[in-house]
Amino acid sequence: MVTKALKIALCVALSGTAVFASESGKLAARAQKSFKAGNFSKGYSQLDRALVASRKEADLNAESRILIAMGQVRTMSLDFDMADSLFSHVSNNVGKTTRTMLIKAKIGLKNATEKFSEAVSLCEGINKDDLDGIADELQGAFYSECAIAYAGSHRDEKAKEALKMVDKRLDDDTGIYYWTEGRLADLLNQGDANGIYLKAEKESVKANMPYTTANILYHRAKYLSKSNPSKSRELLDRCKTAFELMGLPKNSARCAE
């Protein structure tokens, strides 16, 4: 999750508010920049202020998207119960783009907690009409999460079908395809997951996205833990330091295990 897939999802969730000259939109745009720079405490504070502003503006769509973004950040920081609580407060009276954002975010939470069968149920329960006409970027992020859910449930063909949709919806330089392909190789125990993760990591470094890079390091380390324990330990040390500097203690502790 950012993983670049989560970074793209966060940008999409914020984009509907950031394009307006409202106070909530300006604060959401600033939060997006803070998260990309790895400043989670500042970014979350900006989102919290954006949420208050959206309620003053009586903008239900903006409020819903900010809640989704806040839940995604909580997922990224491993605060899963809080993420679930935030998602539960999103209004049902929103457009199809916001509904799809919410479902994608919920699937991401299920994947992060390895409840893959529940994630698959969310993927298969979506109204296909809601996917028509929404931004390719959001569709690609949705299919990425579903591909991972299917792989975690060992449904090989469905995972590969969803991966093809990621390729169709997103440009090659986003890095999300490599991330998704790496997770599939890892979860299905097929192919060189480390090599694919490494491609995703290089794209993340190039795009200067510290959270994404550290998260990929963690998954590379887990994958190599048995075959190359010394390399795994090196990667864990790197992600531990990176998450510490981002102010994400739960992520850092996970890398120290």
Side-chain angles (χ1 to χ4, degrees):
M1 161 169 77
V2 184
T3 72
K4 273 199 178 178
L6 287 176
K7 183 265 176 183
I8 288 174
L10 180 60
C11 289
V12 172
L14 293 172
S15 64
T17 57
V19 294
F20 299 112
S22 63
E23 181 185 359
S24 63
K26 290 175 182 176
L27 287 166
R30 291 172 195 163
Q32 181 177 320
K33 292 178 182 178
S34 296
F35 291 126
K36 183 175 181 180
N39 194 333
F40 277 73
S41 178
K42 181 179 180 180
Y44 198 81
S45 176
Q46 288 165 327
L47 276 185
D48 202 25
R49 289 162 57 200
L51 180 63
V52 173
S54 70
R55 287 170 172 166
K56 288 180 182 177
E57 295 156 2
D59 187 337
L60 184 60
N61 207 48
E63 177 184 335
S64 297
R65 293 186 182 197
I66 291 166
L67 282 168
I68 293 167
M70 292 174 77
Q72 288 177 297
V73 173
R74 289 292 189 173
T75 299
M76 292 160 64
S77 59
L78 312 183
D79 295 320
F80 301 130
D81 289 341
M82 179 61 76
D84 189 50
S85 176
L86 286 162
F87 293 149
S88 72
H89 286 89
V90 176
S91 171
N92 292 321
N93 300 314
V94 292
K96 66 179 182 179
T97 295
T98 305
R99 283 198 304 272
T100 305
M101 289 176 183
L102 177 60
I103 294 169
K104 190 222 71 71
K106 287 182 174 180
I107 296 168
L109 175 59
K110 296 297 184 183
N111 284 340
T113 52
E114 299 187 349
K115 296 177 181 178
F116 297 115
S117 62
E118 293 180 25
V120 165
S121 295
L122 288 169
C123 290
E124 297 186 339
I126 194 170
N127 185 341
K128 297 301 180 183
D129 290 340
D130 280 355
L131 292 175
D132 293 337
I134 64 173
D136 283 349
E137 193 173 56
L138 177 55
Q139 287 192 53
F142 170 81
Y143 283 115
S144 172
E145 293 292 359
C146 288
I148 293 167
Y150 284 122
S153 298
H154 303 289
R155 295 176 63 178
D156 301 33
E157 291 306 313
K158 293 290 287 185
K160 291 170 184 175
E161 287 174 14
L163 180 63
K164 288 179 182 177
M165 292 303 295
V166 176
D167 191 31
K168 287 180 179 178
R169 294 292 180 262
L170 296 175
D171 294 333
D172 291 338
D173 62 355
T174 61
I176 190 173
Y177 181 86
Y178 290 138
W179 161 254
T180 312
E181 185 183 23
R183 291 299 289 141
L184 265 60
D186 192 347
L187 291 166
L188 295 172
N189 197 25
Q190 297 176 2
D192 177 21
N194 181 58
I196 304 170
Y197 279 147
L198 185 57
K199 290 179 182 178
E201 181 187 331
K202 288 178 178 177
E203 291 294 326
S204 175
V205 171
K206 190 189 305 181
N208 190 28
M209 291 173 11
Y211 178 94
T212 304
T213 304
N215 195 56
I216 294 169
L217 290 174
Y218 171 73
H219 284 280
R220 283 187 65 204
K222 280 188 64 180
Y223 179 76
L224 293 172
S225 60
K226 293 182 179 178
S227 63
N228 193 341
S230 61
K231 181 63 175 179
S232 176
R233 185 67 262 165
E234 174 201 326
L235 296 173
L236 286 172
D237 287 343
R238 287 171 59 196
C239 80
K240 177 179 180 295
T241 300
F243 283 130
E244 280 179 353
L245 293 171
M246 282 181 258
L248 295 173
K250 290 185 179 180
N251 302 69
S252 182
R254 187 169 69 166
C255 291
E257 293 174 356

